[in-house]
Amino acid sequence: MGLRTGNLPDFPWDTLTPFADLARRHPGGIVDLSVGTPVDPTPALVREALAAAADAPGYPTTHGTPALRAAVVDWFARRRGVPGLDPAAVLPTVGSKELVALLPALLGVGPGDAVLHPATAYPTYDVGARLAGATPVPTDDPAAELARRDDVRLVWLNSPANPHGAVLGVDELRAVVDAARAAGRRTGRPVVVASDECYAELAWDEPWASSGVPSVLDPRVTGGDLAGLLVAYSLSKQSNLAGYRAAFLAGDPELVARLLETRKHAGMIVPAPVQAAMTAALGDDAHVAEQRERYRRRRRVLRAGFEAAGYVVDHSHAGLYLWVRPDGPRQDAWRTVEDLAGLGLLVAPGAFYGAAAAGHVRVALTASDEHVAEAAARLQGA
């Protein structure tokens, strides 16, 4: 069997090149707001932990150190309202994108199976289904799809969502979990619900800013039963660790054990110094709060700039992005990308995230304070 690359869409970011070139021709140069890559320093305590663990001549464990898994368990209890996770049900991953892309295949999902994912979504959910030979199904109502289909094996949730920053509440999460379990009982084939929650520490609007973004592992969602449930989380956003490829999976102990065995065979191991850095990062809330305030300031400045220029910001309750469209009649996102590139501002078209998103652009908060101020000034004609 050959690789299924022929079934994959073109890599979307390559299509932004002409607009990046246009933005660079602006007299003030380009302000790149298209990609959510952190620009602020990695916290000193994390770098120190990495350096202290740099003498690592032996192979690390695929399952992660006991200290790292304990740190994940403590973090879930302290920050996410999920007490009592089993440390054995935690698994470090080489960033979260590889997990999203490979999880369907690692779970044994394949031809004849359906993978549900949000209608407006990070494209790797679709790609992962295709790599496994399964059928990706975009939907804004996964509970309804689960009730009417017998071929669903995996449901992806994303809250807070990339690109639009909407948040799923406890009742919404529970409805999907209940529907997945009902579908599994009906068909005799368990349905896994995997929730990508990597923006959970970046909540801006109420009630999430004060109460926190709920997890699919929250007891109010699960009823105390983690069967069939997984959470993916990345430290790239909260701790400026995108370059470390530092993430983890947690949830159903039986599922995690199966994934662990497969990843052992494949050699999918997080380097030992990175595991030490992750342990340090997860144990410290102060640097996360500091970074959150940086993004809060940038969000305020950018939002004011876009709104003053006649744009509307939809959703954007949490996460690293503003979900923006021109006020008035619907305009294709590529036209908006071109308009903003004329100001030297590069943004991502909603078309990258599905047909339902074609009227919006995604604006990242991951630029320096100086670049964010410059973007706002250009939008307001200064």
Side-chain angles (χ1 to χ4, degrees):
M1 181 184 298
L3 291 174
R4 293 191 173 92
T5 52
N7 193 34
L8 299 183
D10 293 335
F11 189 64
W13 297 98
D14 294 341
T15 61
L16 268 185
T17 298
F19 300 97
D21 293 340
L22 173 60
R24 289 188 186 95
R25 293 197 292 271
H26 188 275
I30 188 173
V31 175
D32 192 344
L33 305 173
S34 66
V35 182
T37 185
V39 299
D40 300 303
T42 299
L45 72 100
V46 177
R47 288 183 274 127
E48 290 163 2
L50 182 83
D55 184 12
Y59 289 112
T61 63
T62 306
H63 202 178
T65 65
L68 172 55
R69 287 183 279 120
V72 171
V73 169
D74 290 345
W75 177 82
F76 264 110
R78 187 177 74 249
R79 300 296 307 167
R80 305 301 313 281
V82 181
L85 280 183
D86 182 353
V90 174
L91 182 60
T93 63
V94 188
S96 58
K97 185 171 183 176
E98 63 94 341
L99 174 71
V100 172
L102 295 177
L103 185 63
L106 294 175
L107 290 173
V109 176
D113 297 328
V115 175
L116 307 186
H117 65 78
T120 299
Y122 182 56
T124 311
Y125 307 124
D126 175 280
V127 167
R130 294 174 188 272
L131 284 172
T135 301
V137 179
T139 177
D140 285 326
D141 193 349
E145 289 291 329
L146 285 159
R148 74 178 189 83
R149 302 180 69 121
D150 290 338
D151 58 350
V152 178
R153 296 288 307 283
L154 173 63
V155 180
W156 275 111
L157 303 178
N158 180 209
S159 176
N162 175 12
H164 53 63
V167 176
L168 297 174
V170 167
D171 291 345
E172 294 166 296
L173 292 169
R174 187 171 57 238
V176 177
V177 170
D178 289 347
R181 289 174 172 170
R185 290 190 296 270
R186 184 180 72 244
T187 64
R189 304 176 75 206
V191 178
V192 174
V193 178
S195 182
D196 181 351
E197 300 177 1
C198 71
Y199 299 97
E201 287 276 17
L202 301 172
W204 313 120
D205 296 339
E206 296 300 338
W208 322 117
S210 56
S211 66
V213 172
S215 172
V216 79
L217 302 184
D218 189 307
R220 296 171 296 173
V221 175
T222 68
D225 179 8
L226 299 184
L229 305 180
L230 296 170
V231 162
Y233 193 78
S234 167
L235 300 188
S236 296
K237 318 305 180 185
Q238 71 161 49
S239 300
N240 299 330
L241 289 184
Y244 284 49
R245 310 313 300 134
F248 58 81
L249 182 74
D252 179 346
E254 292 187 12
L255 283 178
V256 172
R258 284 171 47 196
L259 293 168
L260 172 61
E261 288 306 307
T262 304
R263 293 175 74 88
K264 283 179 180 178
H265 285 293
M268 300 170 76
I269 308 173
V270 175
V274 175
Q275 292 191 35
M278 292 172 67
T279 304
L282 287 163
D284 180 73
D285 295 336
H287 78 275
V288 180
E290 180 181 355
Q291 186 61 42
R292 184 165 49 243
E293 290 311 305
R294 289 191 186 109
Y295 286 136
R296 190 188 307 277
R297 292 194 302 270
R298 292 167 186 166
R299 177 179 182 270
R300 185 182 306 120
V301 171
L302 276 174
R303 181 166 193 155
F306 274 99
E307 290 177 341
Y311 290 87
V312 175
V313 177
D314 291 319
H315 304 306
S316 308
H317 307 303
L320 274 181
Y321 312 104
L322 296 177
W323 192 231
V324 175
R325 60 179 170 85
D327 198 6
R330 177 186 168 101
Q331 176 171 287
D332 182 78
W334 285 107
R335 173 62 186 276
T336 308
V337 169
E338 184 176 16
D339 291 345
L340 292 169
L343 297 175
L345 311 181
L346 186 66
V347 300
F352 284 4
Y353 307 98
H360 286 79
V361 297
R362 193 192 75 169
V363 179
L365 308 181
T366 51
S368 67
D369 292 344
E370 294 76 15
H371 280 162
V372 164
E374 174 66 18
R378 292 182 192 180
L379 285 163
Q380 296 175 69

